[in-house]
Amino acid sequence: MTACEVDLIEKLVSLCKQRGFVYPSSEIYGGLNAVYDFGPLGVRLRRNVRDLWWRAMVDLRDDVDGIETAVLMNPQVWVASGHVQSFSDPMVDCTGRCKKRWRADHLEAERIARGKPPDAPGCPECGGALTPARQFNLMFKTFIGSVEDQASQLWLRPETAQGMFVNFANVLNSTRRRIPFGIAQMGKGFRNEISPGNFIFRLREFDLLEMEWFCKPGTDLEWHEYWCNERFRWHIEQLGIRRANLRLRPHEKDELSHYSTATSDIEYLFPFGWGELEGIADRTDYDLTTHIKQSGRDLSYFDSETNERYVPYVVEPALGLERTLITLLVDAYDEEEVRGEKRVVLHLHPDNAPVQVAVLPLSKKAELREPARKIEHDLRRSFATEYDETQSIGRRYRRHDEIGTPLAVTVDFDTLNDHAVTIRERDGMTQVRVPIDGLEHALRDQLDQSRKRARDRAGAS
Ligand code: GAP
């Protein structure tokens, strides 16, 4: 990793905190490793990504239903799913000076990150001897009720998927769906990661956006390919992530999760190297079969057209919300020189941008403040807006460039006579004067152009 690449993550950490995207969790007590809070802009960005995902995966489809299941589940779920037995990472401990704990399969990357040869012996930090690898289960334990014993122990879910498997028959019965169809949900997942890090890339508490696609055995590989293509396209066309920084990588056999026969990752080229953004797994009939065995319930499907009964196979696209956020920020971040000054700009797709239209009176004087406030209020129904009157107009433009606001509307003293305002757009910094009467229409046009620029930038087809 070069200094400039390390720099980018550091710059984003600082921008995110300053501008209200991401704060360290419980910071006044020194924080909590790999847990973050989201500020006013972060919340808007999260909601935009969630909405875009839900719209593409549920609302615009005829064959997917959404559900929401609880974080706490009967512990038998995790025994049946194999997570108690197999959801673990190999871990080694340093017996030397630093006593750090490492993922055995991340040692080379950790050495490289510290500027050491990948095959250097011992601990990546201090070179001390390492213990043999031991398996470390990633699920967080907790207890239900007033007694903390083995019988009352639960796990915080490490994935939302199991909530959809154990509700397969419920959804089937209440919707009368025919296979193939999908069940989608978004929600919290918890993993006690051994080596979290890279800001919000690997967290201990994060949001998952998952869909289980139930299909006939034998059609799963075809559906796997279909979902790989759909999801790859979505990142470029809907999120505006640049195609050149994305790749689809099939897993090697020894990388596959305990439940999967085929998985492909959509990976992004982060400053610290290629990293998984979304996984698309062929889970076969593993989960439904194991829940049939463990629960004794019938989770098979009767196909009345062919008179066949079978346990459906499942293809699962699973995306992390915070991973998507860091991807969007890295991909959108740019520094330019404008008239001898540095301009930081986030080239966010206008459908992701936390603020779409900023309304800026040239001065705080009541004669401008009042019409500007009214304009902002009127625009709220149609756009994500923000009213901002602090500091000079130049500074306000820069501040909105830095958070990715595609359009700014400036109300100046001429507005009082000509009933017109200036729209300034983020990417080319061009300005046009439009009458207030036609402002909403003009903003819609400009946002369409901004969408087109975002698609071109991403390399959408
Ligand atoms: N149900 C399948 C599943 O959970 P996964 O590949 O382990 O699959 C899905 O996780 C996605 O969740 C990943 O592609 C990544 O985007 C995100 N993710 C996984 N672990 C994460 C972590 N510790 N912190 C943040 N995001 C994570």
Side-chain angles (χ1 to χ4, degrees):
M1 200 165 18
T2 66
C4 134
E5 288 160 343
V6 180
D7 224 27
L8 174 54
I9 296 292
E10 278 168 12
K11 283 176 184 169
L12 284 175
V13 172
S14 150
L15 185 150
C16 282
K17 184 170 172 209
Q18 245 183 335
R19 297 288 176 233
F21 282 96
V22 186
Y23 309 128
S25 163
S26 36
E27 192 186 13
I28 60 168
Y29 291 103
L32 184 64
N33 192 9
V35 184
Y36 284 89
D37 296 335
F38 292 86
L41 295 182
V43 165
R44 286 184 177 209
L45 188 56
R46 286 166 77 81
R47 203 184 57 198
N48 291 345
V49 173
R50 282 200 193 104
D51 288 351
L52 285 166
W53 185 85
W54 194 262
R55 197 158 164 69
M57 299 299 275
V58 183
D59 292 344
L60 293 181
R61 296 194 65 101
D62 293 324
D63 45 17
V64 180
D65 287 299
I67 63 171
E68 273 186 43
T69 67
V71 167
L72 300 177
M73 299 178 83
N74 187 304
Q76 288 307 312
V77 169
W78 305 111
V79 176
S81 69
H83 283 80
V84 171
Q85 179 67 22
S86 313
F87 192 58
S88 53
D89 281 336
M91 172 205 81
V92 293
D93 288 310
C94 170
T95 60
R97 183 168 40 80
C98 77
K99 307 278 185 250
K100 279 200 170 162
R101 178 164 283 184
W102 306 95
R103 262 179 71 165
D105 52 340
H106 283 184
L107 289 172
E108 286 189 4
E110 297 287 359
R111 289 184 189 114
I112 292 168
R114 285 160 183 76
K116 297 183 178 171
D119 54 354
C123 171
E125 184 81 19
C126 71
L130 297 170
T131 62
R134 284 182 293 142
Q135 289 300 322
F136 175 80
N137 196 294
L138 301 184
M139 285 195 292
F140 278 103
K141 284 180 190 154
T142 187
F143 297 92
I144 192 162
S146 56
V147 184
E148 291 192 7
D149 62 8
Q150 189 70 27
S152 60
Q153 189 198 289
L154 300 183
W155 283 279
L156 299 186
R157 69 179 177 196
E159 61 171 11
T160 69
Q162 296 306 322
M164 295 183 269
F165 293 126
V166 299
N167 277 293
F168 171 67
N170 284 337
V171 175
L172 196 60
N173 291 336
S174 45
T175 62
R176 309 206 152 270
R177 286 270 181 211
R178 313 300 308 160
I179 268 176
F181 76 95
I183 306 180
Q185 82 165 318
M186 313 188 275
K188 289 275 178 210
F190 301 85
R191 296 184 190 177
N192 196 2
E193 298 280 1
I194 300 168
S195 49
N198 284 326
F199 191 29
I200 54 171
F201 179 82
R202 183 169 285 109
L203 301 170
R204 294 196 163 114
E205 173 180 334
F206 57 99
D207 268 59
L208 282 153
L209 314 175
E210 299 194 285
M211 197 271 288
E212 308 305 319
W213 180 255
F214 298 91
C215 61
K216 191 171 178 179
T219 63
D220 50 311
L221 287 179
E222 232 171 278
W223 282 117
H224 184 256
E225 193 182 333
Y226 167 85
W227 281 111
C228 284
N229 292 335
E230 280 292 293
R231 297 302 307 146
F232 196 83
R233 207 159 50 83
W234 182 81
H235 287 282
I236 298 164
E237 293 185 2
Q238 299 293 310
L239 295 189
I241 298 171
R242 283 175 290 180
R243 183 188 291 274
N245 292 332
L246 288 169
R247 72 178 184 191
L248 190 68
R249 187 184 66 82
H251 276 206
E252 301 292 337
K253 282 272 170 292
D254 61 354
E255 278 181 273
L256 292 171
S257 308
H258 61 273
Y259 50 71
S260 178
T261 52
T263 296
S264 296
D265 286 344
I266 297 174
E267 293 189 334
Y268 182 80
L269 187 55
F270 291 99
F272 41 85
W274 287 99
E276 175 185 346
L277 171 57
E278 172 160 7
I280 298 122
D282 183 343
R283 296 181 77 129
T284 69
D285 58 353
Y286 174 88
D287 301 271
L288 288 179
T289 301
T290 190
H291 286 305
I292 291 170
K293 282 192 200 136
Q294 188 81 12
S295 69
R297 296 295 184 90
D298 182 11
L299 302 177
S300 65
Y301 172 80
F302 182 69
D303 188 334
S304 54
E305 273 168 28
T306 60
N307 267 343
E308 279 175 285
R309 181 168 285 284
Y310 55 81
V311 177
Y313 269 39
V314 172
V315 174
E316 173 200 68
L319 175 68
L321 181 57
E322 293 77 5
R323 276 256 176 121
T324 310
L325 261 47
I326 188 174
T327 307
L328 288 176
L329 293 168
V330 166
D331 204 65
Y333 186 93
D334 203 6
E335 287 177 8
E336 300 169 355
E337 200 177 298
V338 178
R339 288 184 288 279
E341 274 189 34
K342 187 171 93 173
R343 172 173 98 121
V344 171
V345 55
L346 289 185
H347 294 286
L348 287 175
H349 189 295
D351 296 336
N352 295 328
V355 179
Q356 290 179 310
V357 180
V359 179
L360 319 173
L362 196 64
S363 124
K364 280 186 197 168
K365 289 194 174 143
E367 55 193 311
L368 293 192
R369 177 185 272 173
E370 278 164 24
R373 276 211 178 274
K374 180 172 180 328
I375 288 171
E376 190 272 332
H377 213 272
D378 291 346
L379 293 175
R380 271 185 207 181
R381 278 170 293 141
S382 311
F383 311 101
T385 59
E386 194 171 276
Y387 174 83
D388 187 355
E389 63 176 25
T390 54
Q391 298 185 309
S392 73
I393 193 74
R395 286 218 169 188
R396 279 179 277 165
Y397 283 152
R398 291 287 176 273
R399 194 156 66 223
H400 280 281
D401 290 343
E402 224 178 61
I403 65 168
T405 305
L407 302 173
V409 171
T410 310
V411 178
D412 55 29
F413 290 100
D414 290 340
T415 305
L416 304 176
N417 300 318
D418 66 3
H419 305 288
V421 288
T422 302
I423 302 177
R424 183 253 194 198
E425 62 86 17
R426 175 195 70 200
D427 299 325
M429 294 175 285
T430 57
Q431 304 198 358
V432 286
R433 191 89 182 153
V434 298
I436 295 173
D437 277 353
L439 180 58
E440 184 166 335
H441 185 75
L443 289 171
R444 281 192 200 287
D445 270 1
Q446 290 255 358
L447 279 182
D448 277 345
Q449 288 172 36
S450 175
R451 282 186 190 99
K452 185 172 177 316
R453 273 196 305 278
R455 286 172 58 85
D456 289 348
R457 181 175 188 267
S461 45

